Amino acid sequence: MWRILVPLQYLRIAHPEKWKFDFGLPIVLATIFALPVISSEFVKDALGTLDIIGKLSNFLGVLTGFFIAALAAVATFGKQEMDDPMPGEPPVRLEHTVNTETYFENLSRRRFLSFLFGYMAFLTLVLYVAGYIYLVTDKYWLSEVAPKGRPTIFRIFWCVYVFALANLLSNTLLGLFYLTDRIHRPNRVARWSGTDNHGSPPEAGS
């Protein structure tokens, strides 16, 4: 059973900058996405003809294929530096617990990106399934058992749903940065002196 949840180990990766992509930016985006639920008209349309959850679920189904393809690309990318520990201080680390003993693994860029895209593929699948479970439950159960409570239940579901979407969007942007630019540049360790170990200015991001 634990093998199914391995992509969630991405959330256990530790680095001082990581919280910005896991919580900081997602909270800001989720707040913006959640604002429409203040409007009763939006809630009414969302439960009626708008079908916003269904449309988002269809989009997430497409994204799942993209993340799986990106995961395959990262796993087979031939650059040797992909298997070197990620530069920077403190290092990007993953906590492991084996037989009650805890140790930390300094991640290579290949390992980090594998966890990143595996996590995003997992999250899109969960959101896809959760969206359709909500739609079926709302249409065939809530509409009959608790019709007056549907708007409140939708508001709660929407707030949780858009936070997960915002987390997915934030980490997608991080993944695009790596795929577009970072994995194609050489590893350089930034130093306080203002130059790296190649005598060049320190790069932005590790």
Side-chain angles (χ1 to χ4, degrees):
M1 182 64 181
W2 63 269
R3 292 174 178 85
I4 298 175
L5 302 178
V6 163
L8 293 179
Q9 288 197 56
Y10 172 75
L11 297 174
R12 302 180 64 183
I13 295 175
H15 190 271
E17 295 291 317
K18 190 168 174 286
W19 73 270
K20 298 177 182 178
F21 299 96
D22 290 346
F23 299 104
L25 183 57
I27 288 174
V28 174
L29 294 175
T31 301
I32 297 172
F33 296 158
L35 285 177
V37 297
I38 298 174
S39 169
S40 298
E41 287 298 318
F42 170 78
V43 175
K44 181 180 178 181
D45 290 342
L47 292 171
T49 58
L50 188 58
D51 190 28
I52 189 170
I53 301 295
K55 292 176 181 177
L56 285 172
S57 293
N58 291 335
F59 177 66
L60 289 170
V62 175
L63 276 184
T64 303
F66 166 75
F67 291 136
I68 292 175
L71 177 59
V74 166
T76 58
F77 190 63
K79 192 174 182 181
Q80 178 59 41
E81 287 185 343
M82 289 285 288
D83 297 310
D84 295 336
M86 296 177 71
E89 187 63 35
V92 179
R93 303 193 302 175
L94 174 63
E95 179 182 340
H96 294 279
T97 301
V98 179
N99 297 327
T100 71
E101 294 186 4
T102 300
Y103 71 95
F104 291 91
E105 173 192 0
N106 291 350
L107 295 180
S108 66
R109 187 160 288 108
R110 193 185 307 277
R111 285 275 285 164
F112 173 75
L113 290 178
S114 294
F115 277 118
L116 173 60
F117 286 106
Y119 167 73
M120 290 191 291
F122 180 89
L123 184 56
T124 53
L125 285 171
V126 169
L127 287 172
Y128 180 85
V129 173
Y132 273 104
I133 289 176
Y134 170 80
L135 289 175
V136 172
T137 302
D138 177 72
K139 182 176 181 179
Y140 296 103
W141 187 65
L142 291 177
S143 59
E144 297 181 4
V145 176
K148 293 183 179 180
R150 289 178 68 205
T152 301
I153 294 172
F154 171 79
R155 286 185 170 97
I156 295 172
F157 177 81
W158 180 252
C159 289
V160 175
Y161 190 78
V162 296
F163 177 78
L165 280 177
N167 179 274
L168 180 66
L169 175 59
S170 175
N171 281 290
T172 298
L173 295 175
L174 177 63
L176 288 175
F177 158 71
Y178 277 98
L179 290 182
T180 304
D181 175 61
R182 186 59 192 89
I183 64 174
H184 304 287
R185 290 189 279 117
N187 289 337
R188 293 171 178 168
V189 179
R191 302 183 183 279
W192 290 107
S193 62
T195 60
D196 61 21
N197 57 343
H198 295 281
S200 303
E203 64 185 24
S206 58

